[in-house]
Amino acid sequence: MARPNDEVEAVLQEYADLVAITGGDAFKARAYEKAARAIGGFPTDISTLDAEGLREIPHVGKSIADKVLEYLSTGRIPALEETRAAIPPGVRELIAVPTLGPRKAMTLYEELGVSSVEQLLDAIHDKKLRDLKGFGPRTEENILHGIDLARKAGGSGGRILIDAAMDVAEQIVAELSGTAGCEGCAYAGSLRRMRETIGDIDVLVAATRSGPFMEAIAALPYTAEVIAHGEKKTSIRTTKGLQVDLRVLPPGSWGAGLLYFTGSKAHNIRIRELAVRHGYKLSEYGLFHAKSGRRITSATEEDVYARLGLPWIPPTLREDRGEVAAGLRDELPELVEDGDIRGDLHTHTDLTDGLASLEDMVTAAARRGYSYYAVTDHAPDLYMQRMTDAKILAQRERVRELDGKHRRMRLLHGAELNIGPDGEVDWPGEFLAGFDLCVASVHSHFNQSRAELTRRLVRACENPHVSVIGHPTTRLIGKRPGIDADFDAVFEACARTGTALEINAHPERIDLCDEDILRAKRYGVKFAVNTDAHSTTHLPYMRYGVGTAQRGWLTKDDIINTWPLQRLRRFLSPK
């Protein structure tokens, strides 16, 4: 389940939002927001810390530490509850709409009496927002898009980010695998296919007796409610509101059941059609002769696929995007795997907005067995990071000193540049030439015209010192839509200039997404799978980037940070 760090991060972030809504001290709101991020990214379980230990976390002072201890011991923060009570519930509902900030939500309530999403939709339909200062037709479009995003990514669909679902699934699989009689246990569904958001979790067990497993999942400490209880299936709701469906299969049906419950629905339909053409019938219980009803095979997925004339198809490809036809032609790609990643090329330290020191980030990367690792703190155009030439050069000297400290891992010194409104980046070419690599990203001016945004990204690609375009669409899942650029033109520019596109593995981004990867690959673009880590706890996010790369049909050759260092350096050299 969620770490105490994650719970406290959410509580402090809510408090920061509520302070902003009520017109409170902006410095106070910012302080709580910084503390929330620092606690969320802190590697140690904060429930094990006392007040002194909490105050050692960056941005956590005495007042915030006291509130954290209060929450950990009682589950409440009176100051937060008082602030909640002062704000109409409807306004808090409005804040959840991406693109609609706290102040605009309060303005809508005070000026128009809007206190729900439905009332907001009515107000937009009646064009009432256009009379308000700071609102207009473009604002209406953004809000409508934000409402649609919220409904698709959690508002009404109840979907959660992949990392939260993975935490729950892996804990349940570990618990049930230790139950007597378990012959196999795995999560299935969209989580096994590495979708970026998950509706509910499917867990499968292979066993001859189902009773012990149904009892075990109902008795888990984070089971809040048993929704349904049966011999073959039990559904629970966790204390965080996530539904988990457990199915117990006969061991002899394990392969067919795993295939069936992994999906997708469209993939299953495609292979059932193939089974019919072979005179078979395929279900979650096995592959059967259509006429005699005799079971042919079902023990493993590999066996089922083989009897249909197919190789085993990786779960991340099972979306009916041509994987069955490719399998029949023996043309499935040899997908990139976690172990193929040789290094992370986009990470941050506490020199800018990271939460860990350079030394700690390097040590954590070395523990992952990387061959190389890049530090890419923000450049000066993001003024809130207060970067200077002197600071970045001092960091470069320290990086060079640390290079070689961890055997078999080389360090690269880079920067994440800001792509300005006109496509320019922070430093001139002669200064950029001193970096081992430059990642360039859009961080502001998201509402430029389609032509302006396209030209902006293309110009960054054409900069000879830019090696990677970071989080290309800028989206935050369920919070902020991607920018409206002509990405086919951007993909063409990347292929022409030899600029890699990032697959940002942070679960809140997953940017590029799988569909964009598939489009970009057709142009011959190369990719970099990076974590954009701001903490040592973010480095394991790499698995989500690799899963997304697999969904985009990528191989090792497509991804520059699977390459040996010498080949990577050739790619990173000025174009």
Side-chain angles (χ1 to χ4, degrees):
M1 303 305 293
R3 297 187 310 151
N5 302 44
D6 299 328
E7 290 188 32
V8 171
E9 179 185 16
V11 168
L12 295 182
Q13 182 60 57
E14 182 189 2
Y15 189 51
D17 289 341
L18 296 181
V19 169
I21 293 171
T22 54
D25 184 355
F27 177 79
K28 180 179 179 180
R30 181 66 176 153
Y32 275 88
E33 184 177 341
K34 286 182 176 180
R37 290 185 61 248
I39 287 172
F42 196 64
T44 302
D45 183 340
I46 60 168
S47 66
T48 65
L49 303 178
D50 57 13
E52 185 178 352
L54 287 170
R55 289 197 296 273
E56 291 179 2
I57 300 173
H59 309 300
V60 176
K62 182 180 184 304
S63 176
I64 293 177
D66 289 344
K67 286 183 174 66
V68 171
L69 287 174
E70 189 172 28
Y71 178 79
L72 290 173
S73 62
T74 68
R76 300 173 59 246
I77 299 179
L80 171 60
E81 293 179 357
E82 290 171 11
T83 312
R84 278 177 181 158
I87 299 170
V91 176
R92 297 203 297 273
E93 179 186 345
L94 295 179
I95 299 169
V97 176
T99 73
L100 186 62
R103 294 193 182 279
K104 275 190 166 65
M106 200 63 181
T107 298
L108 289 169
Y109 177 76
E110 292 175 341
E111 299 292 330
L112 300 177
V114 171
S115 61
S116 72
V117 172
E118 293 306 320
Q119 290 177 359
L120 176 57
L121 287 169
D122 290 341
I124 292 173
H125 179 74
D126 295 338
K127 300 182 180 178
K128 293 181 178 179
L129 272 62
R130 300 184 184 188
D131 297 328
L132 301 178
K133 184 179 180 180
F135 291 79
R138 189 65 182 269
T139 309
E140 291 176 352
E141 291 177 16
N142 290 338
I143 292 173
L144 287 171
H145 189 63
I147 292 171
D148 185 53
L149 271 176
R151 287 177 167 172
K152 287 180 178 177
S156 62
R159 300 186 71 83
I160 66 170
L161 298 180
I162 186 172
D163 62 321
M166 190 68 77
D167 286 346
V168 174
E170 290 185 334
Q171 287 190 53
I172 291 177
V173 167
E175 293 274 2
L176 298 181
S177 294
T179 303
C182 179
E183 296 187 31
C185 185
Y187 55 81
S190 56
L191 182 59
R192 188 171 179 230
R193 302 197 315 275
M194 296 295 280
R195 289 279 305 273
E196 62 199 30
T197 62
I198 310 299
D200 51 40
I201 295 173
D202 295 294
V203 175
L204 305 181
V205 166
T208 54
R209 294 176 59 244
S210 63
F213 301 94
M214 304 310 186
E215 293 170 8
I217 195 168
L220 292 175
Y222 38 82
T223 295
E225 174 189 8
V226 177
I227 303 169
H229 189 286
E231 184 180 345
K232 295 180 180 179
K233 177 184 174 183
T234 290
S235 297
I236 66 162
R237 199 175 308 281
T238 70
T239 50
K240 297 301 179 184
L242 182 62
Q243 182 171 325
V244 180
D245 297 327
L246 169 65
R247 292 175 174 86
V248 178
L249 305 170
S253 297
W254 175 252
L258 184 59
L259 194 161
Y260 179 86
F261 289 110
T262 294
S264 66
K265 182 179 179 180
H267 176 82
N268 286 352
I269 290 172
R270 186 72 61 183
I271 60 172
R272 283 204 301 269
E273 290 172 348
L274 183 59
V276 170
R277 291 203 295 272
H278 282 81
Y280 302 144
K281 180 181 179 182
L282 179 62
S283 73
E284 63 266 42
Y285 299 107
L287 185 67
F288 301 87
H289 276 295
K291 291 183 178 179
S292 69
R294 181 174 61 86
R295 185 163 65 184
I296 302 166
T297 188
S298 62
T300 69
E301 287 187 321
E302 289 83 353
D303 290 343
V304 175
Y305 278 120
R307 291 305 294 259
L308 297 176
L310 290 166
W312 180 76
I313 298 177
T316 44
L317 293 187
R318 300 179 195 177
E319 299 291 349
D320 193 29
R321 293 171 173 166
E323 70 276 6
V324 172
L328 291 171
R329 296 192 304 268
D330 197 26
E331 293 178 359
L332 284 174
E334 188 174 339
L335 297 178
V336 62
E337 297 181 354
D338 290 342
D340 296 326
I341 300 295
R342 294 174 183 252
D344 200 333
L345 301 180
H346 181 181
T347 69
H348 298 272
T349 74
D350 58 4
L351 182 62
T352 53
D353 60 346
L355 303 173
S357 67
L358 170 64
E359 290 78 5
D360 287 347
M361 293 297 288
V362 169
T363 299
R367 290 197 190 105
R368 294 183 62 79
Y370 287 150
S371 300
Y372 43 80
Y373 176 74
V375 177
T376 56
D377 273 313
H378 289 288
D381 280 1
L382 283 180
Y383 66 92
M384 72 286 291
Q385 308 302 345
R386 300 181 180 179
M387 179 57 78
T388 65
D389 294 7
K391 283 183 180 180
I392 200 74
L393 291 175
Q395 184 188 63
R396 181 177 300 163
E397 185 175 341
R398 182 59 182 148
V399 168
R400 299 297 183 237
E401 290 172 358
L402 290 172
D403 191 19
K405 178 181 177 182
H406 298 278
R407 288 193 314 129
R408 297 186 297 277
M409 187 177 82
R410 301 303 306 273
L411 297 181
L412 303 176
H413 187 240
E416 184 182 10
L417 308 175
N418 185 53
I419 303 174
D422 58 358
E424 290 291 330
V425 295
D426 308 65
W427 280 301
E430 57 268 23
F431 194 84
L432 295 179
F435 290 100
D436 295 316
L437 80 158
C438 293
V439 177
S441 311
V442 170
H443 293 104
S444 63
H445 298 82
F446 303 125
N447 293 324
Q448 287 182 303
S449 71
R450 181 178 176 86
E452 288 171 328
L453 286 165
T454 304
R455 185 164 56 248
R456 180 178 175 185
L457 284 165
V458 169
R459 191 171 181 191
C461 294
E462 293 172 343
N463 186 310
H465 299 285
V466 171
S467 303
V468 180
I469 300 296
H471 44 76
T473 76
T474 79
R475 72 166 184 170
L476 292 173
I477 297 173
K479 296 179 181 179
R480 185 174 71 206
I483 56 176
D484 179 23
D486 179 356
F487 276 98
D488 285 293
V490 175
F491 299 156
E492 189 279 329
C494 285
R496 170 171 51 84
T497 60
T499 307
L501 284 168
E502 182 175 73
I503 301 171
N504 191 297
H506 196 293
E508 294 181 1
R509 290 189 183 273
I510 310 293
D511 183 11
L512 292 171
C513 70
D514 55 350
E515 293 178 353
D516 288 335
I517 294 167
L518 285 163
R519 283 169 54 204
K521 180 177 169 66
R522 289 195 285 268
Y523 286 87
V525 173
K526 296 300 182 185
F527 303 84
V529 182
N530 299 321
T531 62
D532 195 0
H534 284 64
S535 163
T536 57
T537 59
H538 295 170
L539 292 174
Y541 289 160
M542 185 64 75
R543 67 190 296 193
Y544 305 121
V546 171
T548 304
Q550 290 179 345
R551 290 177 59 80
W553 292 54
L554 297 190
T555 68
K556 285 194 301 181
D557 192 57
D558 295 314
I559 298 170
I560 65 173
N561 51 320
T562 67
W563 299 350
L565 181 59
Q566 187 175 5
R567 182 183 177 191
L568 174 66
R569 284 192 184 278
R570 287 198 298 270
F571 181 89
L572 297 176
S573 61
K575 294 168 285 192

